[in-house]
Amino acid sequence: MVTPLARIMLRELWHLRGQVLAAALVVACGIAAFVAMRGTWHSLVVAQQDYYASYRFADVFAGLKRAPLEVAQRIRAIPGVATVDTRVVADVTLDVPGLDEPATGRLVSIPERREPMLNDLALSEGRYVEPGRGDEAIASRTFAEANGLRVGDSIGAVLNGRWTKLTIVGLALSPEYIYEVGTGVVFPDNRHFGVLWIGRPALAAAFRMDGAFNDVALTLAGGATQQDVIDRLDRLLEPYGGLSAYPRRDQVSHRILADEFGEIGITSTWIPALFLGVAAFLLYTVLSRLVSTQRAQIGLLKAFGYSDRKVGLLYLSFALATVAIGAGAGIVLGVYLGGLTIDLYADYFHFPRLAFEVPPSLLLEAVLIALAAASVGALAAVRRAAALPPAEAMRPEPPASFRAGTIERSGAARLLPPSLRMIVRNLARRPWRAALSALGVALAIGMMVVGHFGIDASGHLMHVQLDVVKRDDVTVTLREPREAAAREELARLPGVLRAEGFRTVPVWLRNGHRSKKVALTGVDADATLHRLVDRRLRRVGLPPDGVVLGRKLAEILGLAVGDTVVVEVLEGARPTRQVPVAAVVDEYLGLGAWMDRRALSRLLREDRLVTGAWLRIDPAHAGQLYARLKQIPAVAGAEVKATVRKVVEDSLDRAFEMFSRVIVGFAAVIVAGTIYNSARIALAERGNELASLRVLGFRQREVVAILLGEQALLVAAAIPLGLAIGYGLAAALVPVFDREMFRLPLVITKLTYAWATLAAIVAALLSGAIVARRIRRLDLIAVLGTRE
C-alpha cells in the first residue's frame, strides 16, 4: 500500500521530472566514470596477478656478457634465492614476409623439452618446439598477429652472421612481455619488434654460448632481502660482464603497467568527484526551491501529526530517488565504457585472459558514494523542511528584502536597458546562487579543456621528438661496438645521403645515495641528425667535456648544471669517473644522458668506437636500403622514423581519443544540466513576475530574454573561469603522466580553448531552448492566481 508521503514524493518527482533528470544524468556520469575506471583497474590487477602467479614471473633479472653454466650453481647458493633460470638472449634482424622494413627479433632460449620455467609461455596456438629442431620457433602472438603470420609460416633471421630461416610452430605470450617493446623503446611496434623463443641448444650454438648464458632470472625465497640478493648477484656476475641486476619493479613491462595502474587510480578519484560535487549542488538547488514552494504543505503535514523526522525523510527520499535513477543508469553506462576501455588496453597489454570484471563490492561502493552525494546535497534543504513550525509554514514565505546594490549606487544601472537592468539586479540579489551556478558551468568547461589536453600535449611531444630532436630517417644499431669505419660503410649503402655515428654505453650515474642506470650516448659535436634542445626548443650544443642530462634524469639524481656526477661504466674495463654536469635539456621520452663522442672515448679509453648511426636517406632508394640492412650480420636493428611516427601517433591517438570524447560528453551534460536546472528554478520562482510583465505589454521573446539572459551572463562569466580551471587541472595532471619512460608537456592549443567554449555555448543553447519552450506555454491566469 502506497503511503500518503510516498504519493507526495512520486507526484513531486513527476512534476519536477526535467530537473530530476538533469541531476540524475550528472550523477550517472560520475558513477559511470567511477565504475569504468575502477573496474578497469580491478580487471587489469586481477589479470596481472593471475598471470604472474600461473606463469612464474621472476623477481630479479640480470644481463651479462657471457658466463659458464657452473656460475648458476653459485647464484643458487646466494642466501634468499629460491629459483634460478639461465638463458641465452639476443636481438637480431628479421626479414618478415610482406614487411619492407627490417624488423627486430628478440630471441630467447627455452628448454628443448617442455618443463616448468620462470617467465613461462602461455601457448595459445600450435605446439612446443621439438628437440633437435634448431629451425623451429615459438613467436609472440602479438608480433604474429600484427604481421599476419600463422603457425607454419617462416621468417628470415641473421643469427650471428648466418642467414637462417625459422619456422613458426606456435604462438605464445609471456609475463615478461605483457607490454612488448624493445630496449629503449617506449611505444610498442608489434609489426617491427617481436619475441621468438627457440630451443636452447640451437640458439646457444648460433651465438657461441654452448655451456654458457648471458641472461638470468630468479625468484626470491620468503623473507629474503631483495637488495642484498641484487648486490651479491652483481658482485658475482661482474667478472662476466654483468650489466647490473634489477628487481621486478624496474622490469620494463611491469614498470609501465604499474605506472598505468597509478594513473587510473588517480583519475578514477577526481573525475567522479567533480561530477558528484555538481550533482550535490543541483540537488541542493532543486530541494531548496521545493521546500520554499511547499511551505503550506509542510505545515499541513505537521498539523496532521507527521513528525519532523518523517517530513525530513520525505524530502531526503526525493534526493535519494534522484540519485538511484542516476546510479542505475551510471552503472550500466560504466560497465559499457569499462568494456571499451579494456578492449583499448588489450592493444597495449597482452594477457592470456583479460576481461572487464566488476566485483559486487565495487558496485556497492558506487551506490554508497552516490547516496553520500545525495545526502550532502539534500542536507540543508531537509533541515530547513524539518525545522519549519506548522503555524509559520502555513503562512506565505515573507518576501525577500532588497536594497540598492553596487550597480544602483554607482549610477551604472541607468545606462542599461530595462530588461538588462532586471537581469543584473536579480543576479546581484542572489550572489551565492549565481556564483555556484557559474562555478558548475566553469568546472564543466575546464573538464572539456582537460579532455583535449592529452591530444594537444602528445602532438607537441611528437613534434619535439620526431621533428626537432630526431632529424634522421633511419637509426641503425650494431650488435657490438665497432671501429669508426663502420659509419663509412653504412654511408655507402644505397640511398644513404648522410650518416652520423654515435656510441652508447650502459652506465650507472650516481650522486650520493641517488643512482640510475642509463645508456650514455656519445654524439659528434657537429651532428645535425640528432639535436638536444631546451624548453624553448633552442639547440643546446655539446660541450667538449662534461655530461648533458635530460631534465627528468637530473631531477631523479638531484643534479643541476655545475654539479659533479659519478659515472660507473658497465662495459669493458669498467672505469669510474667523476664528470661535471654541463647542461640540462628537455626531452619527453626516456632518460637521456649525452657527451661529446670524443670526450666519451677519452672516458672509456678507446678509439672512438660506434654502436650505431643515424641515416638520412633518399626515399626513392628506401626499399634497396632496407633489403641490404636485413642481410648485414653486424646490424642488430634498424628503426625507421616514418614507422615510429605512425606507431606513436596511433598509440597516443587511441589512448587519448576515447578519453577525450567521454570527458567532453560528460562535461556537456554538466553544462546542460546546470543551465537547465538554474533556468527552471528561476522560472518557478519568478513565474508570477514574468506573467505580470506579459500582462504589462512585454512581448514573449522579451520575457524569454529576461529569464535566459541571466543564464547567458552566467555562462559568459563561467567561460574565462572554466578555461583557467582547465589549465589548472591539466597542470595538476602533468605529474600523473610524469613517468621515467614517458612524460606529457603542459601544452594546450587555442583550438582546444575555442572548442571547449563552443561546446559549452551549444549545450547552454540547447537547455535554454527547452526552457524557452516552457515559457511560451506559460498559463498567465494560472500563474497570476498563485498565492505568493
Side-chain angles (χ1 to χ4, degrees), residues 65-191:
K65 190 74 173 178
R66 188 181 191 278
L69 287 176
E70 292 77 16
V71 174
Q73 296 299 327
R74 296 166 60 188
I75 296 175
R76 291 187 181 92
I78 295 176
V81 172
T83 310
V84 177
D85 266 6
T86 61
R87 306 179 295 184
V88 176
V89 178
D91 285 357
V92 301
T93 302
L94 299 178
D95 183 11
V96 181
L99 187 64
D100 294 334
E101 305 91 347
T104 300
R106 176 158 298 165
L107 307 185
V108 180
S109 69
I110 54 176
E112 279 197 304
R113 289 179 172 80
R114 190 75 186 262
E115 62 184 55
M117 64 179 182
L118 299 184
N119 310 313
D120 209 346
L121 302 184
L123 199 63
S124 59
E125 189 177 337
R127 60 173 174 82
Y128 200 74
V129 296
E130 290 185 354
R133 295 296 302 271
D135 61 342
E136 293 186 348
I138 298 174
S140 156
R141 189 180 76 189
T142 53
F143 175 67
E145 290 176 349
N147 287 284
L149 298 174
R150 299 180 179 179
V151 172
D153 291 345
S154 297
I155 57 176
V158 180
L159 272 62
N160 204 24
R162 296 176 55 190
W163 182 258
T164 305
K165 180 175 286 188
L166 299 174
T167 301
I168 298 173
V169 297
L171 305 180
L173 296 174
S174 167
E176 194 174 3
Y177 296 99
I178 292 176
Y179 189 82
E180 191 171 336
V181 292
T183 303
V185 179
V186 177
F187 298 100
D189 181 2
N190 299 127
R191 286 207 73 194

Side-chain angles (χ1 to χ4, degrees), residues 275-325:
F275 283 108
L276 294 175
V278 174
F281 164 68
L282 294 181
L283 287 171
Y284 164 74
T285 55
V286 171
L287 286 177
S288 294
R289 173 57 191 163
L290 190 61
V291 170
S292 297
T293 58
Q294 293 190 350
R295 290 169 56 88
Q297 181 173 288
I298 294 172
L300 284 173
L301 289 173
K302 292 187 175 183
F304 278 100
Y306 287 96
S307 65
D308 292 346
R309 184 177 64 84
K310 287 187 177 181
V311 172
L313 288 176
L314 167 64
Y315 290 94
L316 180 61
S317 63
F318 180 93
L320 297 180
T322 302
V323 167
I325 296 170

Side-chain angles (χ1 to χ4, degrees), residues 5 39 162 177 223 278 382 440 445 469 535 558 564 764 769-770:
L5 291 180
R162 296 176 55 190
Y177 296 99
V278 174
V382 169
I445 295 172
V469 174
R535 287 183 174 177
T564 299
I770 297 173

